[in-house]
């Protein structure tokens, strides 16, 4: 029987075999490997490179040019795209357009949980290197665990869950953090359940929206032109809503001025008491700069913070922008991967070994980072991107379609499923064996 693989290289035939008599694993339509998903994943990794290395590391786009524009574009959106594509992958591992149930779902769950354990442990190791990077892998592992209970849901239900969480999650987080949580300095990527769910760099209450949205897309027929058109339209609408809705709340409705009044410089005064227009503009710019520096969740000193849409704020508007742009990037990458396969080959090669490339760049940073930031030299980012592409293409041509970390991940998953099958088989034999007589 020929083997077929999902976008992370997992053997889907292994997930479906030995299924129960009452639950058949449906065959997913079309090609099971989607190069566009790989290309989008590569863009997410390269976007995180920009954030991790800073604008000083860009040579082609110097800080005096468009480096800050690129940084602002990819900050937050790259990690959101990474989580979104994790949802797509999970949907493909569990039946794609027709989610599996029963025994096939249980075997897929074993594989996913093994994957989560492997990635989580790797994230702990990378975090221990003390590189000035908010490592996402430990969060990423937890996202897979939280998503498993919804693995049998279809696209419509998953879109509903994502939408409800996007709307209710930000105010719920605000209420819980305001009532029960005192802000504490961060000592690692994630050091507690509170950080994982609410206060960390990639809080689950925000990022599970991206995962569920990705699962919903993975449940759709991504090869259909009509589906892609709807995804592209939805992405555009969400992006416009995220930007326009935030602008309306901050400017016509006065949210920005309310945040200015909340700032320490106003000491409880109204903006109407500020006679100097330039001073007022400076105060507004200071609030916007504070919003741009948030890494996780907005402060809890004013509800108007929920009106901003800057990266890593965890507001409904920020979530809408991130999901919208993820949809647009995915559709564009799928189209380009089909119509310019040779041009996209480097990106799809990197996207087939994202865990290897992501982990590798952290290990390299651990070797070159210095306390004085002198390591952030121009063309460093381009060097990392070029090195990643050369490594990925060479490995794909000469060794395997999967990177070394992905091969280890697959072996661990296969081993866990084999143990599960042996345990199930032994249990069934014990049940059928007649009782002994003496």
């Amino acid at each position: 029987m020929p083997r077929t693989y999902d976008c992370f290289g997992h053997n889907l035939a292994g997930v479906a075999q030995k299924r129960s008599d009452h639950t058949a694993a449906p065959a997913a339509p079309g090609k099971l490997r989607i190069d566009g998903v790989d290309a989008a994943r590569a863009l997410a990794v390269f976007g995180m490179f920009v954030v991790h290395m800073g604008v000083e590391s860009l040579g082609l786009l110097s800080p005096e040019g468009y480096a800050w524009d690129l940084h602002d574009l990819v900050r937050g959106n790259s990690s959101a795209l990474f989580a979104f594509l994790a949802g797509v992958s999970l949907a493909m591992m569990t039946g794609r357009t027709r989610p599996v149930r029963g025994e096939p779902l249980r075997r897929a769950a074993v594989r996913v949980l093994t994957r989560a354990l492997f990635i989580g442990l790797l994230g702990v190791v990378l975090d221990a290197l003390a590189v000035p990077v908010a490592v996402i892998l430990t969060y990423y592992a937890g996202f897979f665990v939280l998503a498993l209970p919804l693995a049998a849901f279809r696209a419509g239900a998953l879109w509903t869950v994502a939408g409800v969480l996007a709307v209710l999650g930000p105010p719920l987080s605000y209420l819980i953090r305001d009532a029960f949580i005192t802000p504490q300095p961060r000592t690692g990527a994630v050091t507690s359940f509170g950080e994982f769910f609410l206060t960390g760099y990639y809080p689950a209450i925000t990022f599970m929206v991206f995962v569920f949205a990705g699962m919903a897309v993975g449940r759709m027929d991504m090869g259909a032109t009509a589906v892609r058109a709807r995804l592209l339209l939805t992405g555009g609408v969400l992006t416009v809503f995220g930007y326009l809705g935030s602008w309306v709340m901050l400017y016509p409705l006065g949210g920005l001025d309310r945040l200015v009044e909340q700032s320490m410089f106003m000491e409880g005064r109204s903006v109407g008491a500020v006679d100097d227009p330039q001073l007022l503009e400076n105060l507004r710019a200071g609030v916007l700069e504070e919003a741009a520096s948030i890494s996780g969740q907005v402060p809890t000193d004013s509800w108007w913070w929920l009106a901003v849409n800057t990266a890593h704020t965890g507001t409904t508007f920020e979530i809408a922008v991130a999901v919208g742009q993820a949809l647009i990037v995915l559709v564009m990458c799928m189209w380009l991967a089909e119509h310019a396969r040779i041009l996209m080959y480097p990106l799809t090669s990197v996207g087939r070994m994202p865990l290897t490339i992501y982990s590798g760049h952290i290990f390299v940073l651990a070797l070159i980072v210095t306390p004085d930031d002198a390591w952030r030299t121009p063309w460093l980012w381009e060097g990392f991107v070029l090195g990643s592409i050369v490594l990925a293409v060479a490995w794909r041509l000469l060794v395997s379609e999967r990177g070394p970390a992905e091969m280890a991940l697959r072996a661990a998953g296969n081993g866990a499923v084999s143990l599960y099958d042996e345990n199930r088989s032994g249990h069934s034999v014990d049940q059928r064996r007649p009782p002994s007589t003496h």
Side-chain angles (χ1 to χ4, degrees):
M1 176 181 178
R3 293 183 177 181
T4 51
Y5 298 93
D6 77 344
C7 62
F8 273 116
H10 295 95
N11 184 355
L12 294 181
V15 175
Q17 63 181 252
K18 295 186 179 180
R19 55 189 178 268
S20 66
D21 294 337
H22 302 287
T23 307
K31 189 175 65 171
L32 290 169
R33 184 107 202 176
I34 301 178
D35 287 337
V37 176
D38 292 327
R41 191 176 294 107
L43 292 180
V45 172
F46 291 159
M48 287 189 280
F49 282 8
V50 174
V51 179
H52 295 169
M53 299 176 198
V55 296
E56 297 87 355
S57 70
L58 275 75
L60 184 62
L61 301 175
S62 66
E64 293 76 20
Y66 296 95
W68 278 110
D69 295 326
L70 177 62
H71 180 276
D72 293 341
L73 175 64
V74 300
R75 181 177 181 266
N77 289 324
S78 294
S79 52
L81 177 60
F82 205 54
F84 173 87
L85 295 172
V88 175
S89 176
L90 183 58
M92 298 178 79
M93 291 174 65
T94 54
R96 232 181 126 176
T97 58
R98 296 168 60 192
V100 295
R101 290 179 172 81
E103 187 62 21
L105 179 57
R106 286 190 286 271
R107 298 179 82 248
V110 171
R111 193 179 299 274
V112 170
L113 290 174
T114 304
R115 171 188 177 82
L117 177 61
F118 184 100
I119 293 176
L121 291 175
L122 179 58
V124 171
V125 171
L126 295 178
D127 198 35
L129 297 176
V131 175
V133 168
V135 178
I136 195 175
L137 293 186
T138 311
Y139 289 91
Y140 194 75
F143 298 157
F144 271 96
V145 176
L146 292 181
L148 262 183
L150 277 67
F153 282 27
R154 293 186 177 272
L158 288 165
W159 277 122
T160 300
V161 172
V164 170
L165 186 57
V167 173
L168 300 183
L172 180 61
S173 170
Y174 186 102
L175 286 171
I176 295 174
R177 289 183 293 113
D178 185 42
F180 302 108
I181 298 178
T182 302
Q184 300 290 336
R186 291 168 178 160
T187 58
V190 56
T191 58
S192 67
F193 285 108
E195 277 192 339
F196 173 73
F197 284 103
L198 293 170
T199 65
Y201 292 103
Y202 315 103
I205 198 167
T206 298
F207 272 72
M208 287 310 298
V209 177
F210 308 139
V211 176
F212 292 143
M215 291 174 66
V217 172
R219 289 279 180 254
M220 303 170 75
D221 183 4
M222 291 187 288
T225 301
V227 170
R228 293 185 181 184
R230 289 199 299 269
L231 292 177
L232 197 61
L233 177 62
T234 301
V237 170
L238 286 174
T239 303
V240 170
F241 168 76
Y243 282 115
L244 183 60
S246 176
W247 179 83
V248 169
M249 294 289 288
L250 291 177
Y251 293 95
L253 297 183
L256 182 57
D257 285 344
R258 302 293 80 75
L259 290 174
V260 168
E261 293 171 350
Q262 190 68 32
S263 69
M264 59 180 294
F265 302 102
M266 291 298 291
E267 298 178 349
R269 293 179 297 160
S270 168
V271 293
V274 179
D275 298 327
D276 185 351
Q278 185 59 51
L279 174 59
L280 182 56
E281 285 306 309
N282 291 341
L283 291 172
R284 289 169 175 164
V287 169
L288 294 176
E289 186 175 346
E290 181 180 357
S293 67
I294 293 172
S295 295
Q297 292 286 340
V298 295
T300 56
D301 55 7
S302 171
W303 281 95
W304 283 105
W305 282 114
L306 295 178
V308 304
N309 69 351
T310 46
H312 287 297
T313 51
T315 68
T316 298
F317 297 118
E318 189 245 338
I319 292 170
V321 170
V323 173
Q325 293 186 356
L327 291 171
I328 293 172
V329 168
L330 177 60
V331 173
M332 300 259 322
C333 283
M334 288 192 293
W335 188 87
L336 286 171
E338 292 170 357
H339 294 83
R341 295 183 64 85
I342 296 178
L343 180 65
M344 297 293 284
Y345 191 87
L347 279 183
T348 58
S349 298
V350 172
R352 287 173 183 243
M353 47 190 299
L355 190 60
T356 298
I357 298 298
Y358 180 91
S359 303
H361 102 280
I362 299 291
F363 281 115
V364 174
L365 287 178
L367 297 176
I368 68 173
V369 166
T370 58
D372 58 1
D373 271 2
W375 61 277
R376 300 181 191 271
T377 57
W379 300 101
L380 180 66
W381 178 80
E382 287 88 347
F384 269 72
V385 170
L386 180 60
S388 300
I389 289 174
V390 170
L391 172 65
V393 171
W395 186 276
R396 183 178 178 182
L397 291 174
L398 302 175
V399 183
S400 173
E401 289 281 336
R402 288 177 289 273
E406 287 72 19
M407 293 171 69
L409 193 63
R410 177 175 178 266
N414 288 343
V417 172
S418 295
L419 289 175
Y420 171 80
D421 289 341
E422 290 175 7
N423 181 67
R424 292 280 296 176
S425 177
H427 181 67
S428 299
V429 170
D430 289 341
Q431 284 185 329
R432 292 195 301 265
R433 182 178 298 145
S436 60
T437 56
H438 299 282

